[in-house]
Amino acid sequence: MRNTRRLALAAVAAFPLMAALPAASAADFGATATGTAFSPNPVQQLGDQSLTDAKDADYAALAPAYRQSTLTDLDGSGSLTGRYVRVKSDTGKAARIDGGALPAYHRDSDQFEQVMGYYWVTTAQRYLQHLGFGSGLRPVNQRQIELRINQYGGDNSFFRPDKANITLGKGGVDDAEDAEVIVHEYGHSVQDGQVTGFGTNLESGAIGEAFGDYLAVAVTSWATGTPAKTPEPCVADWDSVSYTSGPTHCLRRLDGTKHYPEDVRGEVHADGEIWSRALWDIRQALGDARASTLIVEAQFAFAPDTSFKAAAEATVAAAQRLYGATAARAATDAFAARGIL
């Protein structure tokens, strides 16, 4: 999940989305099960920057990071199929639920990544609903997506708008072992669900990468608590041990100092750090719930090829509409500090 990842999004964004799934009642997805997962990843949980992939080994230092978790919104079939995600994996047997529980899979089993993927996509959707999307606010991405686990051999993951699915790669640390990688990719699905084909040029693509990073941090902090042993704005602490030298492992950070336009590099992940810092500053000023709500709500007004400036103006307008002048000023200040407004 380096800065070379997810480069094909704009090229496939013009394809039509898959047909909508048949409507189902809430009762069709009322099953739950217990399973084992990282919450959100071993480096963040344990504060141990020396952890390594060790070729997918399950070694003693990782043992305290496994947590029993409750998987919700399942269809009751015994498979990892639910209201918001269905898991597909060709590299190992499908995880099976028996008597309301999954075996205690660990990272040396392909089924562990299947459980992680299901749990964290559902958690991300639950986070959006916790903000009011689907109740007081319009729904966001409340569709069932396909999550493909370990079907790409490289150290990369990506969302495909033409099929509305996410693929999580298995190079280095398997991407599905890090909740922040999973949720980052779900962020692309969220934006595509709001604006079909979002991310068709450099600036909108950078906004997409930035939002994925922001959502990854927001969701994992909401679900597990603000990290006490690693920096909260550090994204994908565990996945990045395979390709960063440390001493702190981060794919990217939300609290960088890049400024528009002099720090633009013409690469969506690098340039996204300009936008993500603005989102981080809004969150610091307004708190998670208000900041994330206005950030997500604003995206309904984006165009597929939106510019930084147009997207910033839409975000300020959403802040004003939802929370008034103080919130709008906080958003304006955050974008002005990055040179966007």
Side-chain angles (χ1 to χ4, degrees):
M1 199 161 165
R2 303 179 181 90
N3 281 348
T4 56
R5 302 175 114 178
R6 292 177 300 280
L7 298 183
L9 290 173
V12 297
F15 293 174
L17 283 172
M18 64 188 294
L21 292 164
S25 69
D28 295 326
F29 297 103
T32 63
T34 57
T36 302
F38 291 144
S39 297
N41 67 58
V43 173
Q44 191 175 122
Q45 290 170 256
L46 307 178
D48 187 349
Q49 300 286 345
S50 71
L51 297 173
T52 63
D53 179 51
K55 298 182 178 179
D56 284 343
D58 182 35
Y59 52 93
L62 296 171
Y66 293 106
R67 297 282 189 274
Q68 187 174 76
S69 304
T70 300
L71 283 64
T72 64
D73 302 285
L74 290 156
D75 70 353
S77 67
S79 68
L80 291 176
T81 302
R83 175 173 286 276
Y84 308 113
V85 57
R86 65 186 185 277
V87 172
K88 182 176 181 181
S89 177
D90 292 337
T91 60
K93 290 183 179 180
R96 295 294 301 177
I97 299 163
D98 184 16
L102 287 145
Y105 300 120
H106 283 195
R107 70 181 299 259
D108 54 345
S109 299
D110 289 336
Q111 293 83 3
F112 176 74
E113 285 84 44
Q114 297 172 35
V115 176
M116 280 285 293
Y118 183 93
Y119 177 76
W120 281 103
V121 166
T122 303
T123 298
Q125 176 55 223
R126 288 279 184 152
Y127 171 78
L128 293 169
Q129 293 178 26
H130 139 81
L131 296 175
F133 293 101
S135 51
L137 299 166
R138 69 192 110 176
V140 171
N141 209 40
Q142 289 186 15
R143 55 183 173 178
Q144 186 193 72
I145 65 165
E146 182 179 87
L147 187 69
R148 295 170 173 258
I149 304 291
N150 292 348
Q151 294 191 22
Y152 179 74
D155 194 5
N156 198 353
S157 294
F158 47 89
F159 169 73
R160 288 190 58 177
D162 59 322
K163 296 184 180 296
N165 66 32
I166 292 170
T167 296
L168 296 169
K170 59 182 179 178
V173 172
D174 293 346
D175 284 0
E177 289 184 23
D178 194 322
E180 292 185 335
V181 178
I182 298 166
V183 178
H184 172 100
E185 297 305 332
Y186 190 67
H188 290 300
S189 181
V190 167
Q191 288 183 317
D192 179 77
Q194 293 181 279
V195 181
T196 302
F198 181 80
T200 58
N201 63 6
L202 178 62
E203 291 196 359
S204 60
I207 289 169
E209 299 303 333
F211 175 70
D213 286 352
Y214 175 87
L215 188 67
V217 169
V219 168
T220 56
S221 289
W222 172 73
T224 67
T226 302
K229 299 177 180 179
T230 57
E232 185 181 21
C234 175
V235 181
D237 325 57
W238 174 223
D239 182 71
S240 59
V241 302
S242 294
Y243 48 81
T244 60
S245 58
T248 300
H249 295 287
C250 303
L251 167 62
R252 287 178 292 274
R253 294 183 65 113
L254 303 182
D255 59 352
T257 59
K258 292 182 179 179
H259 192 269
Y260 186 86
E262 62 270 24
D263 289 320
V264 170
R265 295 292 176 263
E267 197 283 318
V268 290
H269 302 86
D271 295 348
E273 290 182 296
I274 303 171
W275 187 263
S276 65
R277 173 58 192 270
L279 302 187
W280 175 254
D281 286 347
I282 296 170
R283 187 172 183 264
Q284 293 300 100
L286 300 178
D288 178 73
R290 289 201 297 169
S292 294
T293 301
L294 72 87
I295 286 165
V296 174
E297 175 65 19
Q299 293 177 164
F300 282 110
F302 291 3
D305 61 349
T306 196
S307 67
F308 276 3
K309 185 175 186 293
E313 290 171 343
T315 305
V316 171
Q320 176 70 47
R321 184 172 66 254
L322 291 173
Y323 303 118
T326 299
R329 172 50 57 190
T332 300
D333 289 348
F335 291 119
R338 296 300 105 213
I340 296 171
L341 290 179

